[in-house]
Amino acid sequence: MKYLPLLITLILTQSLFAQTNLPIIKATSKKVAINDGGVLDKNAWSLSPGARPDVYTAGRTRKTKWVTFYTDLDSIRVKVKPGTRFNFVILLNGKDSCYTQIASSFPPEDPLKRNRVINDTIPFELTAANAIHVKGVINNTDTLNMHFDISSFDFHITKEAILKKKLLANQPDALAGKAEPNYNKLTKIFKLQIGNMIWNDPPVSATNLAAEGMDGRIGWTVFNDKIIELDYDKSLMIIHSQLPKGLKSYTKAKLGFTRFDPYINATFEIAGKQYTGGFIMDNGSAEAVILNGEWAAKQNFPTNLKVIKTASIRDADGGKYETKTVIAPVLKLNGLTLTNIPTIVLSSKIKVENTLNFFGNGALKRFNMVLDLKNDFIYLKPNKLFGVKYKGDS
């Protein structure tokens, strides 16, 4: 991508929602590169003229940082502080105004306390696909089956559920199956309730991805600066304002973030050698462990482990890659040990933004968990599921 030498630098010192004369940059391509706090992703963003605004949530950090958008013609640099949002327009081909917002992953201070995220205890069901299933109610009428996904953010509703619940705004032909739906234009969702917690005017987006059988997902960002306790023994999701007591039997570790994905470090022990890496906590996935192929290659991860399954996947460009599921004998996290873990090893030819691996809920469900999002720590303790058979014995 060709970057122009002229860089528009804008320093955000206050909320700009009320701003009428928004900054404008130009583009002839929908592809936008983003440098988020020093990490450049050349394929980070695709312009959506129909979204008003199209929100980019910056990577989670409690520090001030710069976020830069690069189009094929122009660029804009924004100083992002926790709790801030910045609005601007990308003019596509001289005619389509793409209203865009860069938002901190921390919500802005709300002096009116419009969103009453209070302490609450919410029953959940662990589905056959290892999803944490809770009930959500929108606009006091429609009930949705939602799953809590630690690696997601805000609220997402599947396109299938949007059509089923008739959540498209002013699109009767689309609802009748006579026209292509515009999922950027949803019915006004003025309230979402889960348990006793209420979000007014919540950020809701359409998605193609949710756990099997679910209408949507709930991300960790809606509980920013709260403590989330997941008790699989009692099937309870408990939201705290302060760290609960009785954590002496838990192990504690620092919680890291890459963009907005929380991760923890873990170590494989195989044939007297150790292989340590970061693992994004993706409890929206039914799998146990997924290894980034590039990380595995750099670590010289053993290639002679017992293979229990092979599969092929394709990327967006049609490339076909083989994956293997192997049995890893020992994996330690937070001082706790998992044994004989089915581990999917991706091809090293699959290129991703970073070389982090993944813990799915096939592994994470084995621990009662406390996520301290006020101080960014995680607490784990083995539960009644610790020794259960892995899904499909794989």
Side-chain angles (χ1 to χ4, degrees):
M1 179 176 293
K2 181 179 180 181
Y3 301 137
L4 297 185
L6 176 61
L7 184 69
I8 303 172
T9 302
L10 297 164
I11 301 178
L12 181 61
T13 56
Q14 59 183 350
S15 174
L16 296 175
F17 276 111
Q19 183 175 329
T20 55
N21 297 317
L22 297 177
I24 298 174
I25 63 173
K26 299 177 181 180
T28 62
S29 170
K30 286 189 175 183
K31 289 182 63 175
V32 176
I34 299 177
N35 187 314
D36 188 337
V39 179
L40 177 65
D41 184 353
K42 293 184 178 181
N43 298 298
W45 195 252
S46 181
L47 297 179
S48 299
R52 299 205 172 211
D54 201 3
V55 181
Y56 172 79
T57 303
R60 189 180 197 271
T61 177
R62 297 182 184 275
K63 299 179 180 179
T64 298
K65 66 176 177 180
W66 293 97
V67 173
T68 306
F69 272 51
Y70 298 99
T71 72
D72 60 333
L73 296 180
D74 220 337
S75 59
I76 187 167
R77 187 174 185 235
V78 177
K79 196 173 188 179
V80 178
K81 300 177 181 179
T84 59
R85 297 176 185 266
F86 180 82
N87 295 309
F88 63 101
V89 176
I90 301 178
L91 187 62
L92 180 62
N93 294 320
K95 58 179 182 178
D96 292 326
S97 295
C98 303
Y99 291 86
T100 308
Q101 182 182 97
I102 299 174
S104 164
S105 60
F106 290 91
E109 291 295 328
D110 190 353
L112 299 179
K113 296 185 178 179
R114 289 169 40 210
N115 295 321
R116 296 191 288 113
V117 185
I118 60 177
N119 292 358
D120 200 11
T121 299
I122 306 164
F124 71 78
E125 173 194 0
L126 183 66
T127 71
N130 287 328
I132 297 173
H133 168 212
V134 298
K135 295 287 187 180
V137 179
I138 55 174
N139 296 348
N140 298 319
T141 54
D142 284 315
T143 299
L144 296 176
N145 295 314
M146 308 287 284
H147 72 95
F148 174 58
D149 188 351
I150 300 173
S151 65
S152 184
F153 63 98
D154 294 344
F155 299 100
H156 290 77
I157 301 177
T158 64
K159 293 179 179 180
E160 181 181 357
I162 287 171
L163 293 177
K164 183 179 179 181
K165 301 292 184 179
K166 301 185 183 304
L167 297 177
L168 293 176
N170 303 317
Q171 298 181 65
D173 288 344
L175 290 173
K178 299 177 181 179
E180 192 71 22
N182 182 351
Y183 291 103
N184 289 317
K185 295 182 178 180
L186 302 182
T187 299
K188 175 66 176 177
I189 298 177
F190 58 83
K191 180 181 177 182
L192 191 151
Q193 183 168 356
I194 299 170
N196 293 315
M197 295 180 296
I198 293 173
W199 291 265
N200 295 313
D201 301 321
V204 177
S205 304
T207 184
N208 289 315
L209 300 174
E212 182 180 340
M214 296 293 103
D215 296 318
R217 61 183 193 266
I218 308 162
W220 63 266
T221 54
V222 303
F223 303 113
N224 251 328
D225 282 341
K226 287 283 185 175
I227 290 93
I228 306 169
E229 181 179 355
L230 297 175
D231 188 334
Y232 289 90
D233 291 323
K234 299 178 181 178
S235 296
L236 294 176
M237 178 177 176
I238 308 169
I239 310 302
H240 303 273
S241 293
Q242 301 295 329
L243 198 64
K245 298 180 180 179
L247 295 182
K248 290 183 178 180
S249 59
Y250 287 70
T251 61
K252 176 183 177 182
K254 187 66 178 174
L255 195 61
F257 288 85
T258 172
R259 267 212 71 199
F260 47 77
D261 291 326
Y263 70 90
I264 54 178
N265 291 320
T267 301
F268 289 98
E269 292 186 354
I270 303 172
K273 294 184 179 181
Q274 294 186 336
Y275 307 87
T276 299
F279 290 75
I280 291 172
M281 294 186 296
D282 184 10
N283 67 335
S285 169
E287 306 297 342
V289 177
I290 302 175
L291 295 190
N292 180 299
E294 188 176 343
W295 176 86
K298 288 182 178 178
Q299 291 280 327
N300 292 317
F301 191 78
T303 58
N304 60 347
L305 297 178
K306 179 183 177 181
V307 177
I308 58 173
K309 189 193 311 184
T310 60
S312 294
I313 61 173
R314 292 185 181 274
D315 62 16
D317 298 322
K320 187 177 180 181
Y321 306 100
E322 183 182 72
T323 67
K324 294 181 179 181
T325 301
V326 302
I327 296 296
V330 175
L331 178 59
K332 293 187 175 181
L333 67 156
N334 277 33
L336 303 169
T337 300
L338 291 170
T339 59
N340 298 322
I341 318 98
T343 302
I344 297 174
V345 184
L346 300 178
S347 169
S348 60
K349 296 180 181 179
I350 301 176
K351 301 301 179 184
V352 294
E353 286 184 47
N354 55 58
T355 56
L356 291 179
N357 306 301
F358 291 86
F359 277 132
N361 221 34
L364 293 175
K365 72 178 182 182
R366 299 161 192 275
F367 303 96
N368 286 347
M369 179 185 303
V370 176
L371 288 169
D372 180 1
L373 297 178
K374 297 185 75 169
N375 302 291
D376 297 342
F377 284 98
I378 183 172
Y379 299 78
L380 296 175
K381 181 176 75 170
N383 59 33
K384 66 181 182 181
L385 301 173
F386 190 76
V388 300
K389 188 178 181 180
Y390 286 95
K391 184 180 178 182
D393 198 23
S394 63

